[in-house]
Amino acid sequence: MTSVSEPAVLLGQALSPSNRVDPYPAYRDLREHGPLQIPEISLTVLSSYADCDAALRHPASASDRMKSAIAQRQIAAGEQPRPFGLAGLVDKRRTPAFLFLDPPDHTRLRKLVAKAFAPRVINQLRDEIVATVDALLDTAEECGEFDAVSGLAYPVAVAVICRLLGVPVEDEPKFGHASTLLAQTVDPFLSATGDVPEGFTDRIEAGKWLRTYFRDLIERRRSSPGDDLLSALIAVEESGDQLTEDEIISTCNLLLIAGHESTVSLMATSVLAMLRDRRQWSALGADPARALRVVEETLRFDPPAQLLGRVAGEEMTIGETVIPKGDTMIVLLAAAHRDPAANPDPDTFDPDRTGIRHLGFGHGAHFCLGAPLVRLEASIALTAVTKRFPKAELGGEPQYKPNVTLRGMLSLPVRV
């Protein structure tokens, strides 16, 4: 019989930094346990594909963290709700990114931002992505080796996000430092334990720095608009509505952290998966049309966003599990994607599998706006590197960041 403490133990194992290299055995244990509930902290963890899919589709599934029982208890006690969310405090003094809002606010903001994310804008970046990738691979060829993170994925993603937002590339080192810190703010330690993790103050300070930076950049763009997303966000209108300055800043934070970190991880993880199965590396090098299948299978097999957070806006029933109103839900995508009920032989990286099923870009109203851009960046980089270096091989073992939610590598050496 399951002991009272077992759910917390299983969750602790899954979230442990010691499991970042290979969290999948711990995720399998969670999935085989079934939906995990810890009433004392108002937490429900879902890990099967059917449950995760149902939770993301459910009309009562909310994204506004202020609806959570833990936040409401803090408010009732006269406390300011704990800081969590992307790049700052999700409280009355801050405007959260639309990722953390529900309709009608989410609908309004997403519709406005989508206008600045038109296919035309994305397609204009293609030539720049190709040129950036080619230059990086030229350097790799000269050196006889490269790092798939720092020598390919990271500089490609940074070049694109800086170009997209209109951020000077010379500011990239500061952005890189802030992004690394802020990517950890989406980890579910507050939801799982109620405690602020070590180093959280540094992350909040990074968020404050980033908000100040964007505020100054917005002022410059108001007087001198450019051909970039930031200028478009300032100018975008719909029925007389427009984004406030705080809404623009929160959106830029979201794009920088979620988009940048996820893209870097996706590209590097694809390289690792193919080099561990050289047939896949050779197959893509010979047939560029396979690129999108490699990207989709990587999103399933080893997704950059390992989990999503939701709040039960009302009492919900997922499968046979009743989730109380206010419960924070951890939707464990990385476990769901390897559910054999959804993807047969799930622990095998196989871009040729029939019907790749994943929730890597979310679902429904919160489906990732940047998905087309992420797919474009990764497809171009992976096609080019496999074609240029058909005999590439791993130069060492990957090193991972401690991040749980936005899991990714620090380094991945490759010999060409």
Side-chain angles (χ1 to χ4, degrees), residues 85-88 94 161-162 165 167 171-183 185 202-218 220 230 245-246 248-258 260-261:
L86 290 177
R94 293 283 190 265
I161 202 68
C162 287
L165 292 176
V167 172
D171 289 341
E172 182 278 320
K174 296 178 182 178
F175 271 78
H177 178 67
S179 179
T180 297
L181 287 172
L182 292 172
T185 65
D202 291 339
R203 301 168 205 171
I204 294 301
E205 289 303 314
K208 291 178 180 178
W209 174 85
L210 199 57
R211 296 185 75 88
T212 300
Y213 180 91
F214 277 129
R215 201 176 297 280
D216 292 342
L217 191 57
I218 287 170
R220 298 203 296 272
L230 184 57
E245 184 171 276
D246 275 348
I248 292 172
I249 291 171
S250 292
T251 299
C252 289
N253 286 344
L254 172 64
L255 297 175
L256 173 67
I257 301 160
H260 173 210
E261 290 290 325

Side-chain angles (χ1 to χ4, degrees), residues 116 164-166 221-222 224-236:
L164 191 67
L165 292 176
R221 289 292 179 269
R222 287 193 193 281
S224 181
D227 182 22
D228 54 65
L229 182 59
L230 184 57
S231 298
L233 290 175
I234 294 169
V236 72

Side-chain angles (χ1 to χ4, degrees), residues 305-326:
Q306 299 263 292
L307 57 91
L308 296 175
R310 293 291 187 269
V311 175
E314 300 291 343
E315 182 178 281
M316 298 166 51
T317 299
I318 299 295
E320 299 180 356
T321 303
V322 177
I323 302 175
K325 178 181 178 179

Side-chain angles (χ1 to χ4, degrees), residues 22 54 70 90-91 143 167 210 220 312 339 354 367:
D22 183 12
I70 190 171
V90 181
D91 61 29
C143 297
V167 172
L210 199 57
R220 298 203 296 272
D339 185 343
T354 301
F367 186 83

Side-chain angles (χ1 to χ4, degrees), residues 83-401:
F84 65 125
L86 290 177
L89 304 179
V90 181
D91 61 29
K92 294 180 180 179
R93 297 173 297 156
R94 293 283 190 265
T95 299
F98 61 88
L99 181 65
F100 297 115
L101 294 174
D102 295 318
D105 293 328
H106 172 267
T107 306
R108 167 185 163 267
L109 289 177
R110 183 182 173 96
K111 190 173 183 179
L112 291 171
V113 174
K115 281 178 161 287
F117 244 110
R120 175 185 59 82
V121 177
I122 294 174
N123 289 332
Q124 286 176 345
L125 295 168
R126 179 182 291 272
D127 289 346
E128 186 166 342
I129 296 170
V130 170
T132 301
V133 170
D134 285 346
L136 292 167
L137 297 185
D138 286 345
T139 300
E141 190 165 20
E142 292 174 4
C143 297
E145 60 183 6
F146 71 100
D147 190 288
V149 178
S150 62
L152 180 61
Y154 185 86
V156 170
V158 165
V160 170
I161 202 68
C162 287
R163 171 66 180 85
L164 191 67
L165 292 176
V167 172
V169 176
E170 57 266 26
D171 289 341
E172 182 278 320
K174 296 178 182 178
F175 271 78
H177 178 67
S179 179
T180 297
L181 287 172
L182 292 172
Q184 298 171 27
T185 65
V186 296
D187 284 346
F189 295 112
L190 285 166
S191 301
T193 67
D195 296 325
V196 176
E198 183 180 352
F200 200 86
T201 299
D202 291 339
R203 301 168 205 171
I204 294 301
E205 289 303 314
K208 291 178 180 178
W209 174 85
L210 199 57
R211 296 185 75 88
T212 300
Y213 180 91
F214 277 129
R215 201 176 297 280
D216 292 342
L217 191 57
I218 287 170
E219 286 303 309
R220 298 203 296 272
R221 289 292 179 269
R222 287 193 193 281
S223 58
S224 181
D227 182 22
D228 54 65
L229 182 59
L230 184 57
S231 298
L233 290 175
I234 294 169
V236 72
E237 292 187 8
E238 178 72 22
S239 301
D241 198 2
Q242 63 187 119
L243 295 166
T244 67
E245 184 171 276
D246 275 348
E247 288 169 344
I248 292 172
I249 291 171
S250 292
T251 299
C252 289
N253 286 344
L254 172 64
L255 297 175
L256 173 67
I257 301 160
H260 173 210
E261 290 290 325
S262 295
T263 305
V264 171
S265 179
L266 174 62
M267 284 191 276
T269 301
S270 296
V271 169
L272 176 62
M274 288 190 292
L275 286 178
R276 283 178 168 170
D277 183 352
R278 292 302 307 278
R279 295 171 302 172
Q280 300 298 342
W281 184 272
S282 299
L284 178 56
D287 181 9
R290 292 176 58 84
L292 278 178
R293 294 198 65 82
V294 169
V295 169
E296 298 304 313
E297 175 66 350
T298 302
L299 286 165
R300 180 205 71 81
F301 180 74
D302 201 359
Q306 299 263 292
L307 57 91
L308 296 175
R310 293 291 187 269
V311 175
E314 300 291 343
E315 182 178 281
M316 298 166 51
T317 299
I318 299 295
E320 299 180 356
T321 303
V322 177
I323 302 175
K325 178 181 178 179
D327 254 27
T328 296
M329 297 182 288
I330 294 179
V331 182
L332 197 50
L333 305 183
H337 292 177
R338 296 205 186 190
D339 185 343
N343 292 294
D345 192 19
D347 294 326
T348 298
F349 180 77
D350 180 15
D352 294 312
R353 70 172 61 246
T354 301
I356 299 172
R357 300 182 68 188
H358 73 77
L359 302 165
F361 287 126
H363 195 280
H366 287 281
F367 186 83
C368 178
L369 266 178
L373 179 57
V374 172
R375 287 178 169 125
L376 179 64
E377 289 180 65
S379 294
I380 289 173
L382 297 173
T383 299
V385 72
T386 53
K387 183 178 180 180
R388 177 79 76 96
F389 304 127
K391 296 182 179 180
E393 58 185 17
L394 289 175
E397 289 301 308
Q399 301 298 312
Y400 283 84
K401 300 175 183 178

